[in-house]
Amino acid sequence: MDNLLEIQNLSISLRQKNSPIVKGISFSIRGGQVLGIIGESGSGKSMTCRAIMSLLDMRRFTISGKVIFHEKNLLAMPDKDVQKLLGTRLAMIMQNPMTAFDPISKIGAQIVETLRIHKRVSKRDAFEIGAHELMKIGFADAYRVMNSYPHELSGGMLQRIMIALSMILSPEIIIADEATTALDVHTQAIILDEFLKMRNSGIALVIVTHNFGVLAKLADNVIVIKDGEVVEEGTVYQIFDSPQHSYTKELLNATVLRRERIHA
Amino acid sequence: MKYLKKIISLLAVLIGVSILSFMMANISTIEPAEAIARRAYSNPTQEQIAKIRLEKGLDRPIAVQYIDWFSSSLQGDLGTSYQTNQPVVGEMADKLKATLSLTGAALFWVVIFVVPLSILSATEKNRFWDHLIRGITVLGISIPSFWLGFLLLIAFAISLPIFKVVDYGNINSLILPSITLALPVICSSVRILRATLLKNMKQDYVIYAKSRGLSSSRIMWKHILKNSLPPVVTIFFQNIGMMIAGSAIVETVFSWPGLGSYFVSSIINRDLPVINGCVLVFALIFVLANTVGELTNRMLNPRMISGKELVTIA
Amino acid sequence: MLKKIFRNPQAVIGLVMILFITLIALLASVLAPHDPMAVNISMKFLSPSSEYPLGTDQLGRCVLSRIIYGTRYSLGIAIPILFFLAVIGTTLGTLGAWLGGWFDRRLTIICNIFMAFPPLVVVLALIGVLGQGILNLIVAIIFSMWVWFVKVIRSYVLIEKNKDYVVASEIVGCNSAQILLRHILPNLFPVMIVYFSTGVASIILMISGYSFLGLGFGTDIPEWGAMLNAGKQCLYSKPMLIVYPGLCILFTASAFNLFGEALRDILSPEEV
């Protein structure tokens, strides 16, 4: 199978200080696969994700390299074309669900807006589709949720709404940037289940985390990032059983789950 | 029930205001009876002054005078002008109309300029348009409005006879004075809105919205702007109050027959009933404008609508 | 902090302008070519020349000299007013925020009543009561503005009071006076400077505005607002008599606003 998404030599640095944040990262992902990206805070993981989705402010950052999606370089595409892909072919789930939504718009309005930007549907139909997706993901009171403001809902609920919203237009890749970090353990388990369902439905996932347990449960392949560079990559078994790089070993040692191996 | 408390405190403030204004206007260096007498006769004798004092009830204790004035005010009678011997309410109503039309025109300029300029300045931060707008707005809040008025008159009424220097009653006459009144307000509002926009542009929801394919302009106009409005709304209504109450200077420059210049002349002439009436009306409008501003902000903020803060359902 | 100020071009420009005006005010007697009050009817309405660089006004007085001396009136009145407002505002505002309770409640009620009056109205009414004159104008301005200063400083202290370091200081055993004087107020100093700086600009505009309405000074005093008031008689024939004083007011108010706003930007850093 061909690569669905290929990152070639991605480098990001701050314009003002000319200091490199990401130095020549390359990796790829195939359809239906789960790629885990692990590294500590500040290693450049989030930056990479945002660069892939063309979300970085070009005035603040210089970006070089290529992000090849379906044989087209996203970094070289005009904004309008990229916007057509975001939300539809590529979707993202953010770290902090409490701040991810516009505080003065209702959830339903924000879901409807996303739908109507990409598809020709009436407001009423879009609302129904949104409610339906929420029900699919487990909200029994989907209509009440649609009519709620973000601050009226808990973090776990908002995270699940983000997941529903990311799948609503059937993307090929979903990038989850530390999607479980801001949640309590119980809610994390629920979210991870959702990710498993996603994987099983054939969506490719990029899971960014600093938690090995998450990788153990979900990932097929893993890349380890330190200071903006890929220091190790391999399948999840390789990384867990025989880590090569000293940094990977350090990270694993710091994790309680070192001995656990999950065979799917 | 919070609203009842609010209304009561508002009433308390208004009563306090009326007492204060009455006291201020009546502790005068020149005794009002004497002032009236001087207007009627060139060299009034003590008897004539005493007679006037009796007629106008100025010999009664202040508290009695106040209660009398207050109860008449509630019935809509603010007394008679010493100068013109016309009922104050009638004269003020005409002048108020003039001031309101001026303020309304100024608000028109404010509304059409503030939002676009702020958005332009914020999105072009630290580039040409931002520097230009920031430069102009600093000048705009530093410029004396009477000077601006005269400059506009010199430029557009004297050098280029587009407008008349003294004019009232038609749309043309509104243009120069309303621009003069509006400019400082536009400039300070732009500075505030720009700052709030910049703060909101950095929020997470902006990035998440972009990741869903929303365009930058849509995010700005539909989401960032609405989130940035509250402080501007507060200032907007405060400015309405300031403009109505502070119109004196602009009205003087353009010879505009409004409440502000009426107030100024009443002070020069020690026309007590007019002073009392104007102070009361100005304070009332000011308080009203601020209250409407507060209420509007509450309505805009959904956290206030649901009444409870951050209630989590399940 | 000082280094940041000097690196910010807007702040430097503002400071330079302020220094410039202050110098002129201090050296006015040396810089002015003529006596600003010297009336000479035969010399009225002269055009600019080497003798009278900006010409003369309707009573034959040298315009440039009057402009130069005008700095003394604007600065000399605005800054003391600000000083009083700062002292009253800081004292009452801090006490209100720190003590809370009945004192704060009474203070807030009084402030709300006073804030119902637009400052212009208060000043005009007070002048009407006290009569015209510089001293009365100063008192009137202070009377109309003190509540605003109290409210703003009170809100600053309230925010600061809730910060962690204050709680820590209390735990360690510092008494109220120490916390206030050694920690809270010094920490608030920069934001207060911002408020005061822009406040000076507002007061300068106010003073000239009221003078323009004829409330502050007589027309012989070389105060910019009063000069504008006098100049409006000759709007058609000699518009420059209006332009010069207005330009000075603009310059001076801009100086303080530029500095204040630049300082505000420095304090709440806007990352690029």
Side-chain angles (χ1 to χ4, degrees):
Chain A
M1 199 190 209
D2 279 337
N3 281 334
L4 180 61
L5 179 70
E6 199 173 319
I7 282 74
Q8 293 173 358
N9 221 346
L10 184 68
S11 293
I12 308 172
S13 60
L14 265 176
R15 261 188 215 274
Q16 245 191 356
K17 297 188 189 159
N18 225 351
S19 56
I21 305 173
V22 171
K23 311 164 195 165
I25 287 188
S26 300
F27 62 89
S28 58
I29 179 168
R30 296 217 172 100
Q33 275 193 342
V34 178
L35 174 71
I37 302 183
I38 191 158
E40 36 178 55
S41 314
S43 52
K45 326 191 287 288
S46 283
M47 284 282 163
T48 307
C49 293
R50 296 194 181 179
I52 295 174
M53 308 265 301
S54 296
L55 293 174
L56 289 180
D57 185 354
M58 296 306 283
R59 284 187 234 158
R60 280 180 68 190
F61 300 99
T62 38
I63 306 179
S64 66
K66 294 192 186 161
V67 174
I68 314 273
F69 182 67
H70 282 311
E71 280 139 45
K72 295 209 189 99
N73 182 5
L74 292 181
L75 294 180
M77 277 171 84
D79 284 342
K80 278 217 175 105
D81 297 336
V82 177
Q83 276 164 25
K84 291 205 195 114
L85 295 175
L86 295 178
T88 50
R89 309 264 116 246
L90 294 125
M92 185 152 154
I93 298 174
M94 310 258 297
Q95 174 174 348
N96 191 344
M98 305 292 289
T99 57
F101 289 94
D102 175 3
I104 62 169
S105 294
K106 291 189 185 170
I107 297 287
Q110 298 187 50
I111 296 180
V112 165
E113 181 180 34
T114 310
L115 278 170
R116 278 166 59 94
I117 286 184
H118 295 292
K119 297 248 186 295
R120 283 181 182 276
V121 273
S122 69
K123 276 197 193 159
R124 201 172 292 166
D125 289 341
F127 194 86
E128 290 301 320
I129 297 175
H132 186 66
E133 283 295 320
L134 288 184
M135 283 192 264
K136 264 188 358 192
I137 210 164
F139 283 104
D141 50 352
Y143 285 97
R144 189 167 61 147
V145 171
M146 290 286 277
N147 279 317
S148 307
Y149 287 98
H151 67 273
E152 293 170 330
L153 306 171
S154 71
M157 296 176 85
L158 289 171
Q159 192 67 292
R160 284 156 67 201
I161 296 173
M162 262 209 277
I163 291 178
L165 194 50
S166 70
M167 298 209 286
I168 209 167
L169 289 161
S170 312
E172 295 170 34
I173 299 187
I174 292 183
I175 302 180
D177 186 1
E178 306 254 17
T180 54
T181 312
L183 303 170
D184 62 87
V185 184
H186 172 66
T187 320
Q188 272 187 30
I190 300 179
I191 301 297
L192 287 176
D193 267 343
E194 296 296 339
F195 282 135
L196 275 172
K197 284 192 215 160
M198 271 188 220
R199 185 184 77 171
N200 292 338
S201 67
I203 303 178
L205 287 177
V206 177
I207 309 265
V208 175
T209 179
H210 54 245
N211 183 335
F212 268 108
V214 172
L215 288 187
K217 191 155 184 181
L218 289 175
D220 298 319
N221 298 312
V222 173
I223 63 173
V224 182
I225 296 191
K226 179 182 189 324
D227 291 332
E229 293 175 306
V230 178
V231 296
E232 185 158 358
E233 56 190 312
T235 68
V236 64
Y237 304 114
Q238 287 171 338
I239 298 290
F240 271 91
D241 289 343
S242 41
Q244 303 293 310
H245 199 276
S246 55
Y247 180 63
T248 319
K249 293 183 195 167
E250 273 174 48
L251 281 182
L252 278 169
N253 273 333
T255 310
V256 175
L257 297 169
R258 183 175 167 235
R259 288 285 166 199
E260 250 189 89
R261 302 163 205 183
I262 312 259
H263 301 272
Chain B
M1 283 314 105
K2 226 173 33 167
Y3 286 120
L4 194 65
K5 253 187 164 185
K6 191 77 197 192
I7 296 180
I8 292 183
S9 69
L10 214 75
L11 281 174
V13 169
L14 285 177
I15 293 186
V17 161
S18 68
I19 293 181
L20 214 64
S21 76
F22 191 82
M23 275 170 37
M24 276 205 303
N26 282 286
I27 308 169
S28 189
T29 46
I30 297 187
E31 212 245 307
E34 195 177 327
I36 302 171
R38 284 185 195 279
R39 238 187 300 277
Y41 316 101
S42 45
N43 221 346
T45 66
Q46 287 304 316
E47 291 148 2
Q48 290 168 323
I49 297 179
K51 183 160 164 253
I52 292 181
R53 196 176 295 137
L54 221 66
E55 268 178 29
K56 300 276 183 183
L58 291 167
D59 56 329
R60 299 171 299 166
I62 281 273
V64 177
Q65 289 189 44
Y66 171 71
I67 295 180
D68 197 43
W69 174 77
F70 190 69
S71 45
S72 337
S73 312
L74 288 180
Q75 295 165 36
D77 172 18
L78 285 170
T80 319
S81 160
Y82 290 164
Q83 272 235 284
T84 63
N85 270 322
Q86 297 297 316
V88 172
V89 187
E91 291 190 328
M92 281 202 335
D94 286 328
K95 314 281 180 180
L96 188 60
K97 248 195 299 182
T99 301
L100 285 180
S101 64
L102 181 60
T103 311
L107 285 176
F108 170 73
W109 298 119
V110 171
V111 166
I112 60 174
F113 276 112
V114 169
V115 169
L117 284 179
S118 311
I119 291 185
L120 181 60
S121 188
T123 48
E124 290 288 310
K125 184 179 165 194
N126 285 336
R127 282 142 87 178
F128 172 68
W129 284 108
D130 184 30
H131 286 305
L132 184 67
I133 292 178
R134 290 176 75 185
I136 296 181
T137 50
V138 157
L139 289 179
I141 58 178
S142 313
I143 200 168
S145 45
F146 46 97
W147 189 63
L148 177 63
F150 279 127
L151 282 186
L152 288 178
L153 277 178
I154 293 175
F156 297 107
I158 299 179
S159 310
L160 305 168
I162 305 179
F163 298 100
K164 286 192 239 160
V165 174
V166 178
D167 197 5
Y168 178 68
N170 50 52
I171 298 266
N172 272 345
S173 63
L174 270 176
I175 295 186
L176 289 184
S178 60
I179 294 180
T180 311
L181 195 56
L183 190 75
V185 173
I186 294 178
C187 292
S188 66
S189 304
V190 164
R191 295 183 80 84
I192 294 175
L193 185 54
R194 174 188 177 277
T196 332
L197 285 174
L198 285 174
K199 207 170 62 147
N200 272 298
M201 280 159 77
K202 288 192 231 167
Q203 296 298 314
D204 283 343
Y205 68 82
V206 173
I207 298 187
Y208 183 49
K210 280 215 188 119
S211 79
R212 303 193 319 260
L214 275 68
S215 66
S216 295
S217 66
R218 188 189 183 93
I219 299 177
M220 172 59 83
W221 287 87
K222 289 224 163 208
H223 297 283
I224 298 181
L225 185 58
K226 284 199 201 141
N227 274 290
S228 307
L229 281 182
V232 187
V233 166
T234 311
I235 286 279
F236 180 74
F237 282 97
Q238 245 179 38
N239 276 319
I240 294 182
M242 288 275 192
M243 279 198 273
I244 295 181
S247 53
I249 292 181
V250 174
E251 286 176 12
T252 307
V253 170
F254 290 93
S255 311
W256 193 262
L259 207 55
S261 43
Y262 186 52
F263 183 47
V264 173
S265 60
S266 74
I267 289 186
I268 298 180
N269 293 314
R270 297 268 195 283
D271 198 336
L272 281 185
V274 178
I275 298 181
N276 277 327
C278 284
V279 174
L280 188 65
V281 167
F282 281 134
L284 245 149
I285 294 180
F286 202 58
V287 169
L288 211 72
N290 281 334
T291 312
V292 171
E294 256 180 68
L295 283 176
T296 313
N297 252 341
R298 287 211 188 175
M299 287 198 315
L300 284 180
N301 189 342
R303 278 175 232 245
M304 299 294 184
I305 295 182
S306 40
K308 320 146 195 175
E309 317 280 317
L310 292 171
V311 170
T312 38
I313 310 173
Chain C
M1 169 63 68
L2 274 174
K3 272 187 246 165
K4 280 195 220 166
I5 294 181
F6 288 124
R7 247 185 261 161
N8 182 320
Q10 190 179 329
V12 171
I13 296 179
L15 265 181
V16 166
M17 287 165 77
I18 295 177
L19 279 171
F20 179 66
I21 300 169
T22 316
L23 272 176
I24 295 192
L26 291 173
L27 301 175
S29 41
V30 172
L31 292 169
H34 299 271
D35 177 0
M37 320 278 263
V39 173
N40 205 335
I41 303 281
S42 57
M43 304 278 225
K44 70 176 177 185
F45 292 137
L46 288 179
S47 299
S49 60
S50 52
E51 166 97 32
Y52 295 105
L54 290 180
T56 58
D57 67 3
Q58 64 272 43
L59 290 180
R61 296 172 293 205
C62 170
V63 172
L64 180 62
S65 308
R66 287 173 69 76
I67 296 261
I68 291 180
Y69 271 89
T71 55
R72 289 199 171 169
Y73 287 91
S74 293
L75 285 185
I77 297 177
I79 297 194
I81 290 183
L82 179 87
F83 179 72
F84 275 111
L85 286 173
V87 166
I88 298 177
T90 311
T91 318
L92 288 179
T94 313
L95 283 176
W98 187 256
L99 294 177
W102 67 268
F103 180 76
D104 192 34
R105 275 196 291 269
R106 297 273 184 302
L107 187 66
T108 314
I109 292 181
I110 296 180
C111 286
N112 284 338
I113 294 184
F114 270 85
M115 279 173 106
F117 294 93
L120 182 73
V121 172
V122 174
V123 170
L124 286 179
L126 270 180
I127 295 289
V129 165
L130 301 170
Q132 289 150 324
I134 307 178
L135 204 59
N136 294 341
L137 186 65
I138 295 180
V139 168
I141 293 182
I142 295 180
F143 200 68
S144 68
M145 295 294 293
W146 71 274
V147 242
W148 302 81
F149 276 71
V150 168
K151 268 256 154 159
V152 168
I153 296 187
R154 176 181 170 275
S155 66
Y156 283 150
V157 175
L158 271 180
I159 295 178
E160 207 66 14
K161 185 172 116 169
N162 289 325
K163 287 196 181 164
D164 290 337
Y165 76 85
V166 173
V167 178
S169 306
E170 284 176 324
I171 295 178
V172 167
C174 294
N175 64 45
S176 298
Q178 282 175 319
I179 300 181
L180 278 175
L181 291 174
R182 271 206 228 137
H183 299 285
I184 293 188
L185 285 181
N187 276 332
L188 285 178
F189 192 61
V191 275
M192 294 206 291
I193 296 284
V194 171
Y195 189 61
F196 294 159
S197 188
T198 46
V200 172
S202 303
I203 296 176
I204 291 178
L205 288 174
M206 266 188 252
I207 294 176
S208 56
Y210 299 136
S211 296
F212 170 73
L213 288 175
L215 298 175
F217 304 89
T219 45
D220 41 321
I221 305 272
E223 195 272 334
W224 295 329
M227 288 168 71
L228 240 146
N229 188 16
K232 77 176 183 222
Q233 325 276 23
C234 346
L235 181 61
Y236 294 90
S237 47
K238 281 272 167 188
M240 293 313 278
L241 287 181
I242 291 183
V243 172
Y244 294 133
L247 217 56
C248 295
I249 303 174
L250 175 62
F251 185 83
T252 314
S254 304
F256 285 97
N257 272 328
L258 275 172
F259 179 67
E261 296 280 334
L263 194 57
R264 180 182 293 165
D265 285 342
I266 295 175
L267 287 176
S268 33
E270 304 181 338
E271 298 138 38
V272 176

